[in-house]
Amino acid sequence: RWLRYYRDDRENAIQLKKCNNEIIKLISLEIEPIINKDIVLCTVPSSTQGKIDTGINRLAKLLIAENRIDGIDCLIRFKSRPKNSYGGDRDLQGQLNTLKLNNQNKIKNRTILLLDDVRKTGNSLEACSQILLKNGAIDVYKLVIWKAGILND
């Protein structure tokens, strides 16, 4: 399931990736009113194993502060992969082969909001969604800030 929200200012996508707190705060103020309270917020992990301080995680932390459940640590990239933006393989199976679930108790029998910064094919979101559902999430809604290229949606 998709929540339709795409910003037109693609230049700020780079600023979010650089953890620009001013841009992150601006986006959180726009998104906060459209997100239910009692929901688990998860994020698509960085393509770099162990990288936790990302713009999308900082955004999620602001949104979690408004009575939502912190699920940022539920999806883990256990193996680094080339970044999609640098020509990395966007294949769904390639994503699944580098991701795993952590803290299943946070997502089991819960509705999840899965956040990502930029979407091109949607395969990283789909891989994360599959993992969450396979491990007991009731439903997964996906919200992306920017879209890259032309999508058929």
Side-chain angles (χ1 to χ4, degrees):
R1 295 183 187 207
W2 289 93
L3 293 177
R4 298 287 181 224
Y5 178 84
Y6 294 124
R7 290 179 58 98
D8 293 328
D9 61 340
R10 291 182 186 184
E11 64 277 1
N12 281 331
I14 294 168
Q15 293 304 310
L16 181 111
K17 286 185 177 290
K18 291 181 177 180
C19 295
N20 178 316
N21 287 323
E22 184 178 317
I23 296 301
I24 292 167
K25 179 68 173 170
L26 174 71
I27 294 167
S28 75
L29 291 172
E30 291 175 7
I31 294 173
E32 201 285 325
I34 66 171
I35 301 174
N36 290 342
K37 296 293 183 192
D38 189 32
I39 195 165
V40 179
L41 262 66
C42 294
T43 56
V44 173
S46 167
S47 57
T48 304
Q49 177 186 356
K51 184 174 180 184
I52 297 168
D53 187 20
T54 63
I56 200 68
N57 282 352
R58 287 186 184 190
L59 174 61
K61 289 253 185 234
L62 288 177
L63 296 169
I64 288 161
E66 298 295 325
N67 297 318
R68 296 183 183 96
I69 300 163
D70 184 347
I72 293 172
D73 63 347
C74 289
L75 292 163
I76 303 291
R77 183 81 61 186
F78 68 88
K79 179 180 174 186
S80 292
R81 57 181 310 281
K83 293 181 182 229
N84 290 344
S85 59
Y86 296 156
D89 181 11
R90 296 178 189 268
D91 179 62
L92 177 62
Q93 192 57 51
Q95 292 284 344
L96 289 167
N97 291 342
T98 63
L99 293 164
K100 69 177 180 178
L101 185 75
N102 186 44
N103 291 325
Q104 182 181 18
N105 59 319
K106 286 187 181 180
I107 62 110
K108 193 165 182 102
N109 300 318
R110 302 299 308 244
T111 299
I112 311 298
L113 177 62
L114 180 60
L115 300 174
D116 201 2
D117 49 10
V118 179
R119 172 184 177 219
K120 175 99 179 190
T121 64
N123 282 339
S124 55
L125 283 153
E126 181 58 29
C128 290
S129 181
Q130 285 182 20
I131 291 168
L132 291 165
L133 291 167
K134 178 181 172 187
N135 286 281
I138 293 172
D139 210 348
V140 177
Y141 290 84
K142 302 169 206 157
L143 189 140
V144 180
I145 313 304
W146 290 276
K147 63 180 176 178
I150 299 169
L151 299 173
N152 294 326
D153 66 358

